Amino acid sequence: MFNISFALDYIAHRINAKTRHGVHSPFVYKLIDEVIYDFKDKPEYKSIEELRKNLLQDHRNVTITDLGAGSHLNNQKVKAVKELAKNALKSPRLAKLLFRLVQYTKPKTLIELGTCLGVTTAYLAKADENLQVITMEGCPQTAAVAQENFDKLGLERIKLEVGNFDERLPVLLQSQQQLDFVFVDGNHRKDATLNYFNWCLPKVHENSLLIFDDIYWSQGMKEAWAEIKAHPQVSVTVDLFWIGLVFFKKGIAKEDFKIKF
């Protein structure tokens, strides 16, 4: 049932979504033109994609501690690293977009919820090697592989925290003066997603960007995304189907965009 619903949502999105030419907001047009549709190759991508290839051949098993909504593909507790690399990692196309979003928004702080094997984290960190990236992962064995990968890539400014998001995130947020860039890719449940959003709100500012992964994952995630879009502090959202971008810009009309990606 999930696959049918997901496929129908995807078809509907493709029918209704616009390209840059159907967008009248100067802010969103520039974002699409300069960031979302910038498909040129960049030298920083190469080492991370080499790492991805190696992970796809990694036969080691890890025991999964799943504190979120789990996987629609395979809920076995022991999985091969190569299986995680195949099914759980962001696609190169999406990970490269996250890289470009970091370069475009120039955050001073970046928090990621859901490290997995660390490939997307590496893209976030490579976008600005002076940036402190804090990434949180609920599964200790997966986190250990991620840390190996950060070491292989020489990414020393990534702080990896392991534990339950519901317990650790509020403590982390208290230590932050403000939130510039937050990527939420963990615990794909409605209540949890809305909690993370609401916990972040007191620390967002006009140039903050919150990104929510898998906004069509389930009925609950679709409902969470609808509530986030409707929040009065949110000014602009960009629905790329796979992820949703949330902006808090002042002085522009509140508007929600569906963009083909």
Side-chain angles (χ1 to χ4, degrees):
M1 189 64 185
F2 161 79
N3 289 331
I4 295 172
S5 174
F6 190 77
L8 291 174
D9 285 333
Y10 181 73
I11 292 166
H13 186 275
R14 295 297 295 181
I15 292 169
N16 295 314
K18 298 176 180 179
T19 64
R20 76 193 97 184
H21 303 298
V23 170
H24 302 295
S25 162
F27 167 69
V28 177
Y29 182 94
K30 184 178 181 183
L31 180 73
I32 298 168
D33 190 51
E34 297 183 7
V35 184
I36 296 174
Y37 288 173
D38 175 13
F39 297 117
K40 297 186 297 293
D41 203 21
K42 301 185 192 303
E44 295 90 345
Y45 298 164
K46 184 177 179 182
S47 61
I48 305 176
E49 287 308 311
E50 286 295 325
L51 174 68
R52 186 196 298 269
K53 286 180 186 176
N54 292 336
L55 291 170
L56 286 165
Q57 303 299 320
D58 192 330
H59 293 272
R60 286 180 296 169
N61 287 330
V62 291
T63 300
I64 304 299
T65 304
D66 191 350
L67 303 173
S71 169
H72 289 295
L73 292 169
N74 185 345
N75 277 315
Q76 291 178 348
K77 289 297 183 186
V78 176
K79 294 184 181 179
V81 170
K82 66 177 187 175
E83 184 186 351
L84 285 173
K86 179 181 178 182
N87 295 324
L89 294 184
K90 292 286 160 287
S91 68
R93 180 181 173 88
L94 197 54
K96 290 171 184 177
L97 171 58
L98 293 167
F99 172 98
R100 298 193 298 272
L101 284 165
V102 173
Q103 289 202 324
Y104 184 71
T105 57
K106 298 179 172 58
K108 291 184 173 61
T109 63
L110 191 155
I111 295 172
E112 177 191 39
L113 299 184
T115 315
C116 194
L117 300 175
V119 170
T120 301
T121 321
Y123 269 105
L124 296 169
K126 278 271 191 181
D128 179 355
E129 295 195 359
N130 293 314
L131 176 65
Q132 175 73 62
V133 173
I134 302 171
T135 184
M136 301 183 74
E137 173 56 44
C139 174
Q141 290 199 17
T142 308
V145 177
Q147 186 61 60
E148 283 180 18
N149 293 331
F150 302 152
D151 294 342
K152 286 175 185 174
L153 293 171
L155 297 172
E156 298 177 355
R157 293 183 63 83
I158 297 175
K159 181 182 179 185
L160 174 57
E161 295 201 5
V162 182
N164 189 315
F165 299 166
D166 293 347
E167 297 167 0
R168 299 189 69 107
L169 182 60
V171 177
L172 173 60
L173 293 177
Q174 283 180 1
S175 71
Q176 304 295 307
Q177 286 191 325
Q178 64 179 32
L179 297 176
D180 299 333
F181 191 114
V182 180
F183 178 42
V184 179
D185 180 19
N187 196 344
H188 295 75
R189 293 190 177 102
K190 177 183 177 180
D191 290 348
T193 300
L194 290 173
N195 282 341
Y196 306 152
F197 171 69
N198 288 314
W199 293 344
C200 288
L201 282 179
K203 299 290 179 81
V204 302
H205 55 88
E206 182 177 3
N207 295 315
S208 297
L209 170 58
L210 304 187
I211 304 176
F212 292 88
D213 186 60
D214 288 329
I215 54 176
Y216 289 90
W217 174 271
S218 63
Q219 184 59 35
M221 284 300 293
K222 289 188 283 185
E223 291 170 4
W225 177 240
E227 288 194 33
I228 289 167
K229 290 194 297 181
H231 195 279
Q233 274 185 256
V234 172
S235 60
V236 170
T237 66
V238 178
D239 175 349
L240 299 171
F241 187 78
W242 310 105
I243 59 174
L245 313 181
V246 181
F247 295 93
F248 303 86
K249 297 287 182 186
K250 306 287 187 187
I252 59 177
K254 186 174 177 69
E255 202 166 356
D256 303 310
F257 296 87
K258 288 180 185 282
I259 302 300
K260 285 187 173 73
F261 179 70

